[in-house]
Amino acid sequence: MNIMRNYHKHYTVVQASFAFLLCVATLASCTKKYEEYNTNPYLATLEQQLADGFLVGRNFPDMVNAVMPAGDPAGQTNFINSYQLAYSLAADCYAGYMGQANNWNGNTNNLTYGFNLGWVNEQFRLTGVLMAGWTRIKQATDLSGDSLQFSVAQIIKITGMLRVTDSYGPLPYSQIPTGTFTPAFDSQESIYRTSIAELGRAADILHELGANAGTPLAAYDQIYVGNYVLWAKYANSLKLRLAMRMAYVDPANAQRFAEEAVSHPAGLLMTITDAAL
């Protein structure tokens, strides 16, 4: 019996040792090519995405088309339909730019103040696209330190968010970047003031650094083909527009902000060649 117990004890030790060696061998074989096994050969690597400024630049067309859905290179109707839902069947008609020629949903729709949530939500869907692009640019430029590219993203973001707050009032503007599912809503006054400050900083950076920075965004910038100087002018002109809209509710600050925009060394959009098209 002692012989059998010693045999079993020895066998168990050998078995455990073998199992341990097998685990070590298995782990070694798994980790030897871990990076290769866990890299998708059909996706661009981070290094490849950095080439030609693609990692940041690819987000600008999405942001611009979220502000103003204006053209589909493939000839499809997606952008046209999006603009119609977000703007034509809402503010454009309220402002008298257009008039409806149909009685959608039994004449219960946005134009008779029987709001169609599918139509209303289109602008917020566009806002999601806008802010997703802005967030990716912010993350990338936080690492690279490229304040010029981030400043352009700021201006596009503000352009789009102002359209939303002018349509619907309070928005969770300051907390959208946090990713919270229960954001607090900012008043329109707060959004205007924050936007004015952000436009001022963007104009300063673009004016001070943009002239000698080249046009790294040329392939991605649908508005100014990467011209930072023109973006500075646009920022000042947008700031002036906001100041004018504040004139009846806060005349003193409206005048101050307007004078800051007009006197900024980068200037305003003054000629046809300056137009943001």
Side-chain angles (χ1 to χ4, degrees), residues 201-236:
R201 286 193 293 273
D204 288 343
I205 291 169
L206 291 163
H207 173 68
E208 292 168 9
L209 306 176
N212 299 315
T215 56
L217 292 179
Y220 311 102
D221 178 2
Q222 297 167 303
I223 307 299
Y224 287 129
V225 200
N227 188 321
Y228 291 132
V229 174
L230 288 176
W231 276 112
K233 291 185 175 184
Y234 178 90
N236 287 327

Side-chain angles (χ1 to χ4, degrees), residues 125-222:
R125 185 192 70 79
L126 293 171
T127 301
V129 174
L130 173 73
M131 292 305 299
W134 177 86
T135 300
R136 288 190 292 267
I137 291 172
K138 185 179 188 304
Q139 291 169 344
T141 55
D142 280 349
L143 294 174
S144 68
D146 195 323
S147 59
L148 287 166
Q149 293 185 355
F150 179 66
S151 294
V152 174
Q154 283 282 78
I155 296 168
I156 298 172
K157 176 200 74 172
I158 292 166
T159 303
M161 294 302 289
L162 289 173
R163 293 172 71 88
V164 185
T165 189
D166 284 344
S167 296
Y168 296 104
L171 296 171
Y173 182 78
S174 61
Q175 294 194 25
I176 287 177
T178 67
T180 177
F181 287 98
T182 56
F185 278 62
D186 299 316
S187 67
Q188 189 172 30
E189 177 185 0
S190 174
I191 295 170
Y192 264 54
R193 288 181 175 275
T194 300
S195 297
I196 285 172
E198 290 175 341
L199 288 170
R201 286 193 293 273
D204 288 343
I205 291 169
L206 291 163
H207 173 68
E208 292 168 9
L209 306 176
N212 299 315
T215 56
L217 292 179
Y220 311 102
D221 178 2
Q222 297 167 303

Side-chain angles (χ1 to χ4, degrees), residues 19-34:
F20 174 76
L21 291 173
L22 182 62
C23 287
V24 171
T26 302
L27 287 171
S29 64
C30 285
T31 57
K32 185 177 181 181
K33 294 185 177 181
Y34 182 84

